[in-house]
Amino acid sequence: MRSWVPLIAVCLGTFMLLLDVTIAIVALPDMARALHASLSDLQWVMDGYALALAALLLGAGAAADVLGHRRVQITGVVVFALASLLCGLSTGPGMLVAARGLQGAGAAAMFATTLPLLGTVYQGKQRSTALGVWGAISGAAAAVGPVLGGLLTDGPGWRWIFFVNLPVSVLAVVLTLRVVPESRPVAREGSRARVDVVGLVAFAVCAGGVTYGAVRAGDHGWSEPGTLASFTVALMALGVFLAVERRVAHPLIDLSMFRRPAFLGVMVGALAFNAAAFGMSPYTSIWLQTLLGMSPVRAGLVLLWLSAASFVVAGIGGRLLHGVPSRIPIGGGLLLIGVGCFCQAVLDAGSTASTLVPGLVLVGIGTGLVSPAIAGAALAVAPRERAGMAGGAVNTFRQLGYALGIAVFGTVLTSRMRDALPPGAAHALAGGGAPA
């Protein structure tokens, strides 16, 4: 049993960071009422976390190779815990969004070091078992997030979805210090040159500019000067990022891999996957609670249809689809997600929560096919010496897709509300103002 304690320590961090991607979804209406937050504020509560995680993930992995994986992992847990405390103590939407961004930075440090730490501790059959347990924990975190968020929001209040991270973080730090060995840094001489700081900043500005522009368009329109300026800054940052990555000795990502059609296809698929499968979940939760009057727990149970279907299919499909070309589960899964989204596009004034169930189940089945296959495909189409970079890239594109999905779908929702409802109704609905 002692040999599996390091796995517990690592999985605690993974469970927390993935749980916080979804746990806040069912608490959004309560947050809006308590903090007088607008719909765009709620978008940033979700996007601040996902965007920081996506923007810093590759850089955190590169820094861990220099500084040591355990050191970066512990630093990430401490930052995550501090940010969780600030989230729970937030007195306004601005403070909550900033704390969520800090939380995402800590999550990036944890996520980037999880697999290297497991690879250091376990070998052979034990490593395969450890990775299987880690994968199951990852799936369980996504599945339990909305339900646990609903229980905490209905019970002690929405702030406890963040406070609950504090004791788990303390336990994770203690166990990691006691039982997880430090990995040897890749290079000691010239180690400063291995962290591509300029590329990291440029990528973060690019991702942030695109997301900010998409969110701003919901309130001000796509042609508004501030929106256009945001997209212009993002485009310039992308140019800087591409220029730096071509010249730096140790890039965050080797751009030559994108010349491989298979690798480019996997990255585009990862982006589209998280955007389509999960980008609508916050707005579904708002609809369930503000228009149907559901409690946070009941709303979380409705969303559980997606998570449960995904969990079952991922477990069964991993064995049945062994040896099948990855393009089949990825392509078929994305098609099912698209069909599932269209099946949910039938809501009217008389719809109930059961109207969503067929679509949620189809999206869940597609997610169960795509999620495990797309990670394996990224490693299969990249050179062996670039496997770690490819794994970090696919996770980055997935989180970036989630952030952009929330931004774009929120803008579509806001614009549709603005066309059909009185001024201010969109933001009132986000905070539970449906009766008014």
Side-chain angles (χ1 to χ4, degrees):
M1 289 297 295
R2 183 176 299 175
S3 66
W4 293 110
V5 177
L7 176 62
I8 296 173
V10 173
C11 283
L12 282 174
T14 300
F15 185 81
M16 282 193 302
L17 74 91
L18 292 178
L19 186 71
D20 271 57
V21 174
T22 58
I23 195 172
I25 287 175
V26 294
L28 293 175
D30 284 61
M31 291 178 184
R33 286 190 290 270
L35 302 177
H36 306 288
S38 67
L39 184 60
S40 58
D41 291 330
L42 298 184
Q43 287 176 266
W44 279 111
V45 169
M46 303 302 298
D47 263 350
Y49 182 83
L51 192 58
L53 177 55
L56 300 177
L57 188 57
L58 290 173
D65 288 341
V66 175
L67 303 173
H69 298 113
R70 188 182 73 162
R71 182 181 299 173
V72 173
Q73 169 84 4
I74 292 173
T75 301
V77 175
V78 172
V79 171
F80 187 88
L82 175 61
S84 297
L85 177 62
L86 294 175
C87 286
L89 297 176
S90 294
T91 56
M95 180 178 176
L96 179 58
V97 170
R100 284 285 282 175
L102 184 62
Q103 216 183 13
M110 290 191 284
F111 206 15
T113 52
T114 295
L115 294 180
L117 284 175
L118 292 179
T120 300
V121 175
Y122 300 106
Q123 306 295 327
K125 186 177 179 180
Q126 274 195 333
R127 179 183 292 183
S128 299
T129 303
L131 291 176
V133 172
W134 178 81
I137 292 294
S138 301
V144 78
V147 177
L148 180 58
L151 289 171
L152 291 172
T153 303
D154 262 353
W158 65 267
R159 297 179 186 276
W160 282 90
I161 67 177
F162 303 112
F163 290 149
V164 74
N165 291 327
L166 300 180
V168 181
S169 297
V170 172
L171 180 60
V173 169
V174 171
L175 287 179
T176 302
L177 287 173
R178 288 176 62 90
V179 301
V180 177
E182 179 60 277
S183 58
R184 186 178 181 85
V186 174
R188 293 188 180 276
E189 295 184 7
S191 60
R192 291 181 183 273
R194 293 190 60 86
V195 181
D196 179 15
V197 177
V198 177
L200 175 63
V201 172
F203 182 78
V205 171
C206 176
V210 171
T211 306
Y212 178 78
V215 173
R216 185 179 177 87
D219 289 327
H220 304 282
W222 292 99
S223 59
E224 188 264 341
T227 303
L228 294 177
S230 179
F231 288 133
T232 301
V233 170
L235 187 61
M236 294 171 61
L238 177 61
V240 172
F241 176 74
L242 294 177
V244 169
E245 297 308 287
R246 287 193 182 99
R247 291 171 174 79
V248 74
H250 302 284
L252 293 176
I253 185 166
D254 185 352
L255 297 179
S256 66
M257 293 195 295
F258 285 94
R259 296 176 189 150
R260 300 172 178 232
F263 184 82
L264 178 61
V266 168
M267 295 302 118
V268 173
L271 187 80
F273 164 49
N274 268 42
F278 307 113
M280 291 187 295
S281 297
Y283 311 112
T284 302
S285 174
I286 290 173
W287 179 76
L288 291 169
Q289 294 183 62
T290 63
L291 277 96
L292 300 190
M294 285 188 167
S295 67
V297 172
R298 289 184 62 196
L301 289 173
V302 172
L303 296 174
L304 189 62
W305 284 100
L306 190 159
S307 302
S310 171
F311 190 73
V312 172
V313 171
I316 297 174
R319 291 189 291 271
L320 297 181
L321 297 175
H322 179 70
V324 175
S326 58
R327 64 178 180 273
I328 294 178
I330 294 175
L334 288 174
L335 182 62
L336 284 172
I337 291 170
V339 172
C341 290
F342 276 111
C343 286
Q344 296 174 71
V346 294
L347 302 181
D348 57 30
S351 297
T352 63
S354 60
T355 309
L356 292 172
V357 172
L360 289 173
V361 171
L362 284 174
V363 172
I365 294 172
T367 298
L369 292 172
V370 175
S371 188
I374 207 161
L379 299 179
V381 300
R384 180 174 297 180
E385 66 273 13
R386 300 295 192 189
M389 186 179 289
V394 75
N395 285 326
T396 296
F397 273 77
R398 285 189 59 175
Q399 294 303 322
L400 187 58
Y402 180 60
L404 290 175
I406 290 175
V408 172
F409 295 146
T411 294
V412 171
L413 175 63
T414 303
S415 64
R416 294 294 294 156
M417 286 180 172
R418 190 171 56 239
D419 291 342
L421 298 172
H427 295 316
L429 281 170

